[in-house]
Amino acid sequence: MGRNAAIKRFSATRPGQPLELYPRTSSRRPVLLELLASPWIVRASDLVVLDGSWAAKHVFEDVAVEWDAEHGRPAAFQRGPKRYPVDALLQTWAAERVWWDPRRHVSRRYWRVLSRGGVYDLAFDRCDGSWRLVGIQD
């Protein structure tokens, strides 16, 4: 088996002690949501790696969004052929820029959502009434 035989035979699980801290998805979700909603966590889309590149994917593509009027948030979005149901709303924020110049005015509302195990930033442009996917942290 080679020089690593002892390592390959070693079992990291001890009798009576589970290896995972949160063995079920249902037990992990509240902790994950609390961490993602914390104000001291930086947006992944704003992180920069040591080589100067972005840690998250910046995208700017139009998407179709299903709106949940009862809760005032996106319920799902369509990216290409795939539909992404929103599992949880993590953060919301707004951007108002250059309000004094109608040609350059930016008025957007952002929703950071958890969907299919990834974190997505959706933006509604209030000036032209369109939805865009602007960031992916997966």
Side-chain angles (χ1 to χ4, degrees):
M1 230 168 142
R3 296 185 305 214
N4 297 328
I7 294 172
K8 292 178 180 177
R9 284 192 309 267
F10 180 76
S11 174
T13 57
R14 295 183 180 169
Q17 181 180 8
L19 184 60
E20 290 198 38
L21 184 59
Y22 301 103
R24 295 182 318 277
T25 303
S26 62
S27 63
R28 278 180 271 179
R29 186 173 179 173
V31 175
L32 177 66
L33 294 176
E34 181 66 29
L35 286 173
L36 290 172
S38 298
W40 50 267
I41 294 180
V42 177
R43 290 185 202 149
S45 58
D46 295 338
L47 293 176
V48 177
V49 187
L50 292 176
D51 65 359
S53 63
W54 295 100
K57 298 175 193 167
H58 281 278
V59 294
F60 200 75
E61 60 186 63
D62 292 335
V63 292
V65 172
E66 296 173 26
W67 184 255
D68 181 357
E70 182 181 340
H71 296 101
R73 65 179 183 89
F77 65 96
Q78 185 89 19
R79 184 178 186 216
K82 290 186 179 180
R83 181 180 180 272
Y84 293 82
V86 172
D87 297 324
L89 175 65
L90 304 177
Q91 283 181 317
T92 60
W93 67 95
E96 293 287 338
R97 296 186 186 118
V98 199
W99 53 267
W100 59 89
D101 185 353
R103 290 176 290 127
R104 298 185 317 155
H105 180 215
V106 173
S107 179
R108 292 192 187 118
R109 300 298 177 260
Y110 293 88
W111 285 266
R112 174 160 289 156
V113 298
L114 179 67
S115 177
R116 291 189 170 190
V119 177
Y120 300 89
D121 293 338
L122 299 170
F124 178 72
D125 191 325
R126 293 178 41 169
C127 295
D128 65 9
S130 64
W131 282 95
R132 292 184 180 86
L133 178 64
V134 294
I136 303 172
Q137 301 85 36
D138 49 5

